[in-house]
Amino acid sequence: TQLLEQSPQFLSIQEGENLTVYCNSSSVFSSLQWYRQEPGEGPVLLVTVVTGGEVKKLKRLTFQFGDARKDSSLHITAAQPGDTGLYLCAGANDYKLSFGAGTTVTVRA
Amino acid sequence: GAGVSQSPSNKVTEKGKDVELRCDPISGHTALYWYRQSLGQGLEFLIYFQGNSAPDKSGLPSDRFSAERTGGSVSTLTIQRTQQEDSAVYLCASSLVASPDTQYFGPGTRLTVL
């Protein structure tokens, strides 16, 4: 049983479209992280959100942490083929990370 | 390179055989983590080492799994009497201090048990 549920599991969109990935949990975390993983590589950290209600923007990526610190979303504006990958959310308590199963995003040129 | 390295990148073994997976963390990183990523699943925490402290083994799925970290650097994950359900990608991560915020992942070892 996953501690964190991600949706959707798969997402295929055309270049230039927007997308949102959701990460939900019944547990409260001290922080929540988003990673992107490409085939044959380990996950790479994109962002950490700590405060309930926090919104962080990295270029075309917007990350939001829910007020209760149990859920988060990742929004990509004007997606590009380079955004293709597996997006993972992970909740942190102390040094341990609990990962969701991931959302596979494919951006078609 | 200065990143986390893992070897081998791929390992195919027969059911019942033992395997050893190696992780070379980033130099100077005191914390080291092992995770398992099965198909369609997120990363599952296996074990954590921090300096000279006793490791946190709470994520190891059975007593067939063990890990050690020699000299506070290189780590080896050993799986004895491998089973088909052990097939997965095994990922290692290291961080400068014990923090989830600064874990750097290696490329993983893909283990296939026939």
Side-chain angles (χ1 to χ4, degrees):
Chain A
T1 303
Q2 296 287 151
L3 205 56
L4 287 135
E5 298 291 333
Q6 285 190 241
S7 62
Q9 187 176 359
F10 298 97
L11 196 53
S12 180
I13 60 170
Q14 201 69 35
E15 181 177 5
E17 293 181 339
N18 301 333
L19 68 96
T20 302
V21 177
Y22 299 93
C23 175
N24 296 296
S25 174
S26 57
S27 301
V28 175
F29 295 102
S30 58
S31 67
L32 195 138
Q33 302 177 358
W34 285 92
Y35 291 81
R36 188 171 83 191
Q37 184 178 21
E38 300 192 21
E41 299 181 8
V44 175
L45 180 66
L46 295 174
V47 78
T48 300
V49 284
V50 178
T51 307
E54 181 177 3
V55 177
K56 277 192 176 179
K57 288 193 175 185
L58 292 176
K59 297 182 180 178
R60 295 178 294 101
L61 278 60
T62 301
F63 303 86
Q64 187 162 6
F65 201 12
D67 290 341
R69 300 199 346 258
K70 293 182 180 181
D71 53 82
S72 180
S73 64
L74 157 61
H75 183 79
I76 301 179
T77 304
Q80 300 176 358
D83 296 325
T84 293
L86 176 66
Y87 288 82
L88 295 158
C89 66
N93 278 320
D94 199 6
Y95 54 80
K96 282 188 181 177
L97 290 174
S98 299
F99 282 84
T103 295
T104 299
V105 172
T106 303
V107 182
R108 305 184 305 274
Chain B
V4 177
S5 60
Q6 292 186 244
S7 60
S9 56
N10 280 284
K11 177 71 177 179
V12 180
T13 190
E14 293 179 349
K15 178 182 172 181
K17 295 283 179 68
D18 298 352
V19 295
E20 284 189 352
L21 312 180
R22 177 186 168 106
C23 172
D24 282 89
I26 293 173
S27 178
H29 280 195
T30 62
L32 187 146
Y33 314 75
W34 282 99
Y35 295 88
R36 178 169 70 175
Q37 187 174 27
S38 302
L39 194 62
Q41 301 290 320
L43 279 70
E44 172 192 11
F45 167 80
L46 297 178
I47 189 168
Y48 158 76
F49 296 91
Q50 170 58 49
N52 295 320
S53 302
D56 176 352
K57 304 179 182 181
S58 61
L60 293 179
S62 77
D63 59 8
R64 296 185 296 103
F65 288 72
S66 63
E68 62 177 20
R69 188 179 185 190
T70 54
S73 181
V74 172
S75 178
T76 303
L77 176 69
T78 301
I79 309 173
Q80 295 178 309
R81 305 180 303 281
T82 52
Q83 304 294 311
Q84 288 183 332
E85 61 263 28
D86 299 334
S87 295
V89 176
Y90 289 82
L91 290 155
C92 173
S94 71
S95 61
L96 189 59
V97 296
S99 165
D101 202 28
T102 55
Q103 292 186 33
Y104 295 88
F105 285 83
T109 293
R110 179 174 297 278
L111 175 66
T112 303
V113 182
L114 302 176

